[in-house]
Amino acid sequence: MSYLDLYLSSSPKITLGDKGSRIFIMGAPYDLTTSYRPGSRFAPDQIRSAFWNIEIVDRKLGANAEEIGIFDLGNLSITTNVNRALDMIEKASGEVFSQGKVLGTLGGEHLITYPLVKKIKNAALVVFDAHLDLRDELYGLTLSHATFLRRLTEERRDLKVYHFGSHTFVDEEINYARERGIEVVTSYELREKGIKSIGELIKEKNVYVSVDVDVLDPSCAPGVANPEPEGLNYSELFDLIRSLCGKNIMGFDIVEVNPAYDPSGITAVAAAKILSLLIILAADGACRAH
Ligand SMILES: [Mn+2]
């Protein structure tokens, strides 16, 4: 062991393990179809930096993410071509999934979920998002961060989707959701019915989890591309995520954090906390039902 091995790291990578780890992390720094405030391409490294600097132990789940092997692959290459970005995400994630690994991807905008989930079989998709992202088209784009779930659910008729925390969507979106059999529980319903646990609502054991950080209220997560007031607070969202303890997490992503609008860094910290929870949930037997 040399001083170079001892004192230097490839920070801000969040590697706590090696290639033998079951959980892999990848950055997808793309915000090419963002409709309002671009900048989420800078989020992966901000989330990593926050992850290194907050406590990643969770008292409620009774687990410490520091003790779980994680291998960080780094970020996908820069491109300004949307199709090229989607292709790289699909190919890189496909390689990780084919090795039987759990892949956690740091966005980037919500469109990155489309190539990540496209080929995942035998798992339900669980989405947390202020928006439904079920429009057929927005601002001239049929494939964008506002339409990704529409395209995905049209292509994958077999994909069961559970959607939590929405509160801003047009009739076209909710009508499509009902027709397509997407289970939608809005932030209003979560609050009015006092729903703190969704584990039993989700019938499937295998799940892929996509967290759009704008599901949090802008008062606790201002640094997102499309902030929407009346979102969830930290504890409301974290308890819903914790209630997935016992599920088999096949993969996950955390999207839409925008460091350009996050001067205090609290949105990146919230995303890092979400990352630590998902790592604990994805690790075999690490979490304890609370
Ligand atoms: Mn959203």
Side-chain angles (χ1 to χ4, degrees), residues 257-273:
V257 168
N258 187 341
Y261 292 87
D262 192 28
S264 72
I266 58 169
T267 313
V269 165
K273 176 66 184 177

Side-chain angles (χ1 to χ4, degrees), residues 25-279:
I25 301 293
M26 174 177 89
Y30 308 121
D31 57 17
L32 296 162
T33 74
T34 296
S35 52
Y36 181 26
R37 311 197 301 192
S40 65
R41 68 181 65 185
F42 302 112
D45 289 345
Q46 292 298 316
I47 298 170
R48 288 181 174 101
S49 173
F51 185 86
W52 268 133
N53 290 290
I54 62 166
E55 295 287 359
I56 53 176
V57 61
D58 192 73
R59 301 309 313 174
K60 279 191 166 180
L61 288 176
N64 186 353
E66 280 177 41
E67 293 164 4
I68 297 167
I70 311 161
F71 186 72
D72 190 344
L73 295 161
N75 293 334
L76 288 165
S77 308
I78 292 169
T79 180
T80 51
N81 179 316
V82 179
N83 290 330
R84 168 101 182 110
L86 298 178
D87 188 52
M88 281 195 281
I89 296 168
E90 190 174 333
K91 285 176 175 155
S93 64
E95 208 168 300
V96 177
F97 289 130
S98 72
Q99 293 170 41
K101 306 288 187 186
V102 176
L103 178 64
T105 307
L106 307 175
E109 64 181 3
H110 217 159
L111 181 58
I112 69 158
T113 308
Y114 171 70
L116 286 167
V117 175
K118 220 158 108 172
K119 288 189 177 161
I120 291 188
K121 302 283 180 192
N122 305 319
L125 172 62
V126 179
V127 183
F128 298 92
D129 193 344
H131 313 90
L132 290 179
D133 294 345
L134 286 172
R135 286 174 188 267
D136 188 40
E137 179 268 339
L138 185 69
Y139 304 151
L141 286 178
T142 51
L143 186 59
S144 84
H145 79 149
T147 68
F148 94 89
L149 194 55
R150 177 71 170 259
R151 297 288 92 83
L152 182 63
T153 51
E154 283 172 345
E155 262 178 55
R156 286 287 313 279
R157 303 300 300 182
D158 60 315
L159 183 69
K160 182 68 190 172
V161 181
Y162 298 87
H163 197 291
F164 300 99
S166 63
H167 49 90
T168 174
F169 44 78
V170 295
D171 288 349
E172 174 203 350
E173 296 179 281
I174 193 67
N175 291 341
Y176 172 83
R178 287 189 185 123
E179 274 167 36
R180 174 59 178 73
I182 297 170
E183 308 285 342
V184 175
V185 188
T186 65
S187 66
Y188 303 129
E189 289 168 316
L190 287 167
R191 245 180 219 141
E192 281 158 18
K193 295 178 183 169
I195 299 170
K196 291 185 177 164
S197 172
I198 52 174
E200 283 172 19
L201 194 84
I202 299 163
K203 303 283 176 281
E204 293 77 2
K205 173 88 171 164
N206 295 342
V207 294
Y208 179 99
V209 184
S210 177
V211 184
D212 181 333
V213 176
D214 71 26
V215 73
L216 287 168
D217 192 79
S219 61
C220 28
V224 293
N226 294 68
E228 298 285 354
E230 293 203 294
L232 303 179
N233 66 34
Y234 295 137
S235 298
E236 287 170 329
L237 176 64
F238 298 167
D239 279 345
L240 294 176
I241 294 174
R242 287 181 182 113
S243 76
L244 297 174
C245 179
K247 298 290 182 191
N248 182 21
I249 312 273
M250 318 278 287
F252 61 84
D253 58 61
I254 300 167
V255 298
E256 298 284 343
V257 168
N258 187 341
Y261 292 87
D262 192 28
S264 72
I266 58 169
T267 313
V269 165
K273 176 66 184 177
I274 293 165
L275 176 60
S276 69
L277 291 175
L278 289 168
I279 286 169

